[in-house]
Amino acid sequence: MLYENKDNSYYASEIAEFLGLTLRGENCEIYQPCSMANPKNNSIMFLTDSPEDKNYDFIKLNNFTDVLLILPDSFDRLPSCSYIMSKDPKLDFTKMLYEFFVDLPKKEIHPRAIIEKGAILGSEVSIGAGSIVGPEVSIGDNTIISSNTVISGKVTIGKNCVIKSNATIGSEGFNFILDRKDLIHMPQLGEIIIEDHVWIGANSTIERATLDQTVIGSHVKIDDLVQIGDGATIGKHTEIAAGSIVCRKVRIGERCWIAPNVTINSGVNIEDRAMVGLGTVVLKSVESDMVVCGNPAKILRSAKLLNRR
């Protein structure tokens, strides 16, 4: 488990002070975070500026005591309970969780993890049960490797990364060459570079390059069940959602959004800040700041209009 719950209580004024925001209403005692769908006594929750949240019926909270809300600055309707106004309620709620309600487990190398001779581990690295780290692997400080993950070949992983359970980093790529009636696998002799602050989801696979490098840039977030082909390059701050397939030698720029179940064909370039919609099949390169969707992908609009980035 990546996070452990803290069983503590805090006053609303402590939370407001931590966030650098103003508490309005009573200084109630808070025991737990909750969702707006399931309020509880002595809880903290948040609303965003989405149309659904803007129409939330605050009367629902009248059955509960000592409730604290984090609300968008744009709200003109205000609750009768205590609240804090925020420019980004979801972000402030997340920061509050880290500060008050969760802890990271103790960093340790589980006795049932296999660390082969030659592997280099930084300080405060955590490796879960059943994981295997090969002899040419280097792992940076404060990186967490969950259970049953296999890291093999020449792989460099940066600092403060998270690799969830059952991931495979450094597997052979699907690269076969026809020789008369047989298919011959081309050996993957390259390497993988994973930069700092990268998140790699459970059951995801990253193939090492044939001769060069497969590169995952800093602050990239990869969801569960994602395939990254050999020689692919993923730019900084890009997010790739669950079930997506990034074929070999694909280049994805910085701050892109790849929705669930996207397929990106071999050799395609997706430029900076592009957004690829749910289930899209990308056969041709996508220019920067474009939103594409469909099979095959078609341009819908400019991502600049969405003000996402």
Side-chain angles (χ1 to χ4, degrees):
M1 187 168 66
L2 189 57
Y3 302 110
E4 295 178 347
N5 293 339
K6 290 182 185 177
D7 293 325
N8 292 323
S9 65
Y10 305 92
Y11 283 99
S13 58
E14 296 178 81
I15 295 172
E17 182 179 2
F18 166 73
L19 295 174
L21 301 173
T22 302
L23 172 65
R24 304 175 192 274
E26 296 183 6
N27 187 21
C28 50
E29 194 171 7
I30 303 300
Y31 301 157
Q32 60 196 324
C34 290
S35 71
M36 296 300 298
N38 295 289
K40 296 179 181 177
N41 297 331
N42 301 91
S43 66
I44 180 170
M45 299 171 282
F46 75 97
L47 289 169
T48 68
D49 58 2
S50 69
E52 181 182 359
D53 281 2
K54 283 184 176 180
N55 293 323
Y56 185 85
D57 185 3
F58 289 128
I59 294 175
K60 296 177 182 178
L61 302 179
N62 290 346
N63 295 325
F64 302 93
T65 59
D66 294 330
V67 169
L68 175 62
L69 300 184
I70 304 179
L71 302 176
D73 286 343
S74 59
F75 264 37
D76 52 10
R77 293 186 310 112
L78 299 175
S80 58
C81 64
S82 301
Y83 63 92
I84 297 168
M85 305 297 285
S86 165
K87 291 182 179 179
D88 192 334
K90 189 173 183 179
L91 176 61
D92 282 333
F93 186 84
T94 302
K95 290 179 178 178
M96 179 277 308
L97 289 179
Y98 275 104
E99 179 67 14
F100 296 105
F101 291 105
V102 298
D103 270 329
L104 288 173
K106 180 182 178 181
K107 300 290 181 68
E108 64 176 2
I109 308 298
H110 195 280
R112 288 196 283 116
I114 298 173
I115 314 298
E116 297 190 25
K117 184 178 180 180
I120 299 172
L121 305 185
S123 63
E124 298 294 312
V125 169
S126 182
I127 301 178
S131 289
I132 301 173
V133 177
E136 296 182 284
V137 175
S138 175
I139 301 175
D141 299 345
N142 298 303
T143 284
I144 298 171
I145 312 293
S146 297
S147 302
N148 300 314
T149 287
V150 177
I151 308 174
S152 60
K154 189 173 183 181
V155 179
T156 301
I157 300 173
K159 300 176 182 178
N160 301 299
C161 294
V162 173
I163 301 177
K164 292 171 65 178
S165 296
N166 300 301
T168 303
I169 312 296
S171 60
E172 293 286 332
F174 192 75
N175 189 359
F176 291 86
I177 299 171
L178 180 63
D179 178 23
R180 297 183 180 180
K181 295 182 179 181
D182 197 6
L183 288 169
I184 300 175
H185 182 258
M186 177 175 283
Q188 311 293 284
L189 303 177
E191 60 182 315
I192 293 174
I193 296 176
I194 298 172
E195 297 180 356
D196 299 340
H197 300 281
V198 169
W199 178 290
I200 297 172
N203 297 291
S204 290
T205 302
I206 300 177
E207 298 174 349
R208 62 178 175 266
T210 304
L211 297 171
D212 300 312
Q213 297 173 335
T214 302
V215 179
I216 312 296
S218 62
H219 297 273
V220 165
K221 310 303 179 189
I222 296 173
D223 201 353
D224 299 346
L225 297 164
V226 171
Q227 156 74 8
I228 305 294
D230 76 86
T233 299
I234 314 297
K236 298 177 181 178
H237 295 277
T238 281
E239 298 171 73
I240 303 177
S244 290
I245 299 172
V246 178
C247 294
R248 60 190 310 267
K249 293 189 176 180
V250 166
R251 299 184 66 86
I252 300 177
E254 298 183 7
R255 297 186 181 275
C256 293
W257 165 252
I258 310 299
N261 295 316
V262 166
T263 300
I264 304 173
N265 197 24
S266 299
V268 165
N269 290 341
I270 296 179
E271 303 297 337
D272 295 347
R273 300 175 302 280
M275 300 177 68
V276 181
L278 180 71
T280 295
V281 177
V282 184
L283 302 178
K284 297 180 180 179
S285 294
V286 178
E287 295 180 359
S288 59
D289 297 300
M290 289 293 106
V291 179
V292 299
C293 193
N295 182 7
K298 294 182 180 179
I299 295 173
L300 296 183
R301 64 180 74 90
S302 171
K304 290 181 179 179
L305 299 177
L306 301 179
N307 296 318
R308 183 178 185 274
R309 302 287 174 179

